[in-house]
Amino acid sequence: MFEAVQKRATAARDAVNARLPPGLRVDVLTLYWYSTRSSERIDRLAARPAWRRWTDLSMLVLLVVQVAGLLVVGLAAVQALGQESATALNDPANTVAIPGVNAFMPLASTPYVVAALLVATVVHEGGHAVACRAAQVPVREWGLALLLGIVPLAGYVMPGEELDAASLRDRLRIYAIGVFHNLLVAGVALLVLLSPLTATPEAAFVEYFGWAAVGEAPPTAATVADLGILTNLAFWLALLNANFGLLNALPVSVLDGGRVLSLAIEGLGDRTGTDVSPRARWVLVHVASVAVVALVAVAIFAPLF
């Protein structure tokens, strides 16, 4: 029965997609806006010698951020174990970036949160695309996934099968560059917050998050408006890009950090003359993934029990 329902759902989806204009397709609750065309601008940027130095720097940055991210997650888990009572920070609903659901993201913040998420995904996936072209790896498809056809979920880049044949260093560059770009955007946004044009970073942080520490009410549309458009935009650009970069740097198999960890194990084996099989790499990366996910779960849920 399940297979019959699945076949009907697939047939209905295919029928809808057949009627959509080129560049659009639907899947479960998601509209994909995509393209299979290459870009001459991306190819020109990828051909510049400076790009390889740029991506080499990104590998170092990802390594540093990965270590820092593990320390942050570990310290958060230890702190949560010693926490006597839960706060809004431990509410699972507040772990998702959905305004109106996340108490730290009032509905009035929606334009800024959506803009920040859109920038975060575009600069992240755009970096992957340019790095692919620099390594002579074609990009089969790139685009944006929209929840319910409205809310940006993620940008994505689908490299060709040639990625598997690329050198170890090129693959490291491809996976590391997205995190680097997110952190750069976060840094630029933070500089804007430090300028005389906006409220201070502390003022914005206290407005959106300080209420949880003192037991007051969450921000309202009026208090968000008082911060001003530029402050709100710069704050969420800094916060979400930093979080996006830190999250993707963690050594979890489905994230960039997990893929970099697998490649690092492969490279270490080659340098030391040790034969590390693909299965052994898979096991090591997934053990790291389980450990990181467990620490995150402890940091979020431990105070609830």
Side-chain angles (χ1 to χ4, degrees):
M1 180 178 177
F2 175 76
E3 291 183 356
V5 171
Q6 189 177 37
K7 287 181 179 178
R8 285 197 294 270
T10 301
R13 181 197 63 194
D14 292 343
V16 171
N17 285 332
R19 292 182 173 87
L20 290 175
L24 294 176
R25 71 167 180 272
V26 295
D27 209 330
V28 180
L29 300 178
T30 306
L31 174 69
Y32 291 89
W33 177 41
Y34 70 96
S35 175
T36 57
R37 294 183 297 176
S38 60
S39 168
E40 292 183 1
R41 291 182 180 179
I42 289 179
D43 288 344
R44 285 198 298 269
L45 178 58
R48 294 181 178 179
W51 177 257
R52 290 189 176 274
R53 305 290 77 78
W54 184 255
T55 47
D56 284 342
L57 177 60
S58 74
M59 292 189 289
L60 175 61
V61 169
L62 186 139
L63 176 62
V64 172
V65 173
Q66 190 169 86
V67 173
L70 287 171
L71 288 174
V72 169
V73 171
L75 289 173
V78 171
Q79 183 179 12
L81 288 171
Q83 191 172 326
E84 295 182 357
S85 60
T87 68
L89 292 171
N90 305 112
D91 187 342
N94 294 334
T95 63
V96 295
I98 301 179
V101 175
N102 188 318
F104 300 104
M105 296 180 178
L107 285 174
S109 70
T110 300
Y112 312 113
V113 171
V114 170
L117 288 174
L118 186 59
V119 170
T121 55
V122 168
V123 300
H124 186 99
E125 297 300 329
H128 289 323
V130 180
C132 280
R133 297 304 303 127
Q136 303 302 310
V137 175
V139 175
R140 292 195 293 111
E141 181 179 310
W142 55 274
L144 182 66
L146 303 167
L147 179 64
L148 302 177
I150 301 172
V151 181
L153 282 178
Y156 68 93
V157 169
M158 295 175 58
E161 296 177 356
E162 291 84 352
L163 176 62
D164 295 331
S167 70
L168 177 66
R169 189 166 185 171
D170 278 338
R171 283 179 285 158
L172 283 170
R173 288 165 168 160
I174 289 169
Y175 289 126
I177 190 63
V179 168
F180 186 34
H181 282 181
N182 284 132
L183 296 179
L184 284 174
V185 172
V188 171
L190 181 59
L191 289 176
V192 173
L193 281 174
L194 292 171
S195 75
L197 300 174
T198 63
T200 63
E202 293 83 1
F205 186 84
V206 168
E207 180 59 47
Y208 278 111
F209 293 92
W211 60 271
V214 296
E216 295 182 356
T220 64
T223 57
V224 169
D226 287 342
L227 287 174
I229 294 175
L230 186 58
T231 297
N232 279 296
L233 183 59
F235 175 77
W236 286 111
L237 279 171
L239 184 65
L240 293 182
N241 272 275
N243 277 274
F244 202 78
L246 288 170
L247 174 65
N248 272 281
L250 291 174
V252 177
S253 58
V254 297
L255 302 176
D256 294 332
R259 296 183 176 98
V260 167
L261 176 61
S262 178
L263 292 172
I265 295 171
E266 179 184 341
L268 183 61
D270 292 342
R271 284 180 176 272
T272 60
T274 305
D275 183 17
V276 183
S277 68
R279 179 174 178 78
R281 293 202 309 273
W282 184 91
V283 170
L284 289 171
V285 172
H286 280 77
V287 167
S289 301
V290 171
V292 171
V293 171
L295 286 173
V296 172
V298 169
I300 295 173
F301 298 108
L304 299 176
F305 299 98

